Amino acid sequence: MKKFAITIKSINKPGVLRDITEMMANCGINISYTHLFVEKDYSGSIYLELEDVNNIDELIGAIKKSPSVLEVKVHRSLDEIYGKRIIIIGGGAQVAHVAMGAISEADRHNIRGERISIDTIPLVGEMELAEAISAVGRLPRVGALVLAGSLMGGKITEEVEKIKKQHSVVIISLSMPGSVTKMADMVVTDPIQAGVMAVMAIADTAIFDIKKVGKKKF
């Protein structure tokens, strides 16, 4: 059954989300992803990705009957628009060069119909990096994580290990001192090449299987 994505603009008050999700549960609709925020005019914006929807027009009509709902729009899902995500975390210079390779390679695949987006954050400090890596597990659509730094270990390695156990995310590390390289699926010396290989590892339009390569250093 087709997945639908909708945005509901509503009065910003307690109980609105509860009423909407309760109605969907009663209809047997599964909510696979949601995101909420307050708009400039202080109205609430509720983004939902839905599964098991028998009739989207009937659903929209039912939602609009709620006195708290101001507007409902139907969209393509974020997976269809932005696709898989590559997250690059580490030092500014290394992150910039990994992003250069990843963006250039993603452009090549996206032209052919793929959808891959690149997210970056330059950070320093063991705790800051560990916290950012832990948060990767709470982000949707992440296909690969690139660790772009000059020294990573300790708490950072512990968080990478948790990500590998709990999520299906490809881990690529730059060659650097520290224990984090032992947890990576692949260690790459050149940062631009690391970005390129991260895209190739998750792209459906690439003839590359990181599992066949095995844990190697390049």
Side-chain angles (χ1 to χ4, degrees), residues 124-141:
V124 294
E126 181 181 354
M127 296 309 298
E128 289 80 0
L129 286 163
E131 183 181 47
I133 291 166
S134 175
V136 169
R138 303 191 294 273
L139 293 173
R141 310 185 326 277

Side-chain angles (χ1 to χ4, degrees), residues 1-6 21 23-33 48-60:
M1 193 171 291
K2 184 179 178 181
K3 180 188 289 186
F4 291 93
I6 64 172
T21 55
M23 181 195 68
M24 292 183 179
N26 292 336
C27 295
I29 295 171
N30 182 52
I31 301 172
S32 59
Y33 176 72
L48 300 163
E49 293 188 0
L50 309 172
E51 298 173 334
D52 305 320
V53 180
N54 291 319
N55 189 316
I56 188 64
D57 294 325
E58 285 185 6
L59 175 63
I60 299 303

Side-chain angles (χ1 to χ4, degrees), residues 56-129:
I56 188 64
D57 294 325
E58 285 185 6
L59 175 63
I60 299 303
I63 295 172
K64 286 181 176 179
K65 289 179 182 178
S66 170
S68 300
V69 172
L70 305 173
E71 184 181 46
V72 184
K73 292 182 178 179
V74 181
H75 316 277
R76 296 175 69 194
S77 69
L78 291 177
D79 182 60
E80 294 176 301
I81 298 171
Y82 281 98
K84 303 168 190 172
R85 302 168 76 179
I86 293 174
I87 311 294
I88 307 168
I89 298 175
Q94 292 97 328
V95 165
H97 282 81
V98 173
M100 186 185 303
I103 292 168
S104 297
E105 183 68 11
D107 182 65
R108 189 170 71 88
H109 291 278
N110 289 350
I111 287 172
R112 293 153 61 191
E114 189 81 50
R115 289 297 174 99
I116 296 173
S117 53
I118 316 296
D119 295 305
T120 67
I121 181 167
L123 284 173
V124 294
E126 181 181 354
M127 296 309 298
E128 289 80 0
L129 286 163

Side-chain angles (χ1 to χ4, degrees), residues 84-87 136-145 160-172 185 198 201-202 209-211:
K84 303 168 190 172
R85 302 168 76 179
I86 293 174
I87 311 294
V136 169
R138 303 191 294 273
L139 293 173
R141 310 185 326 277
V142 178
L145 168 63
V160 170
E161 186 175 9
K162 290 177 185 177
I163 291 292
K164 287 180 65 68
K165 286 181 179 179
Q166 298 171 7
H167 305 278
S168 180
V169 177
V170 173
I171 308 291
I172 295 177
D185 296 306
I202 67 170
D209 188 347
I210 195 168
K211 293 180 181 178

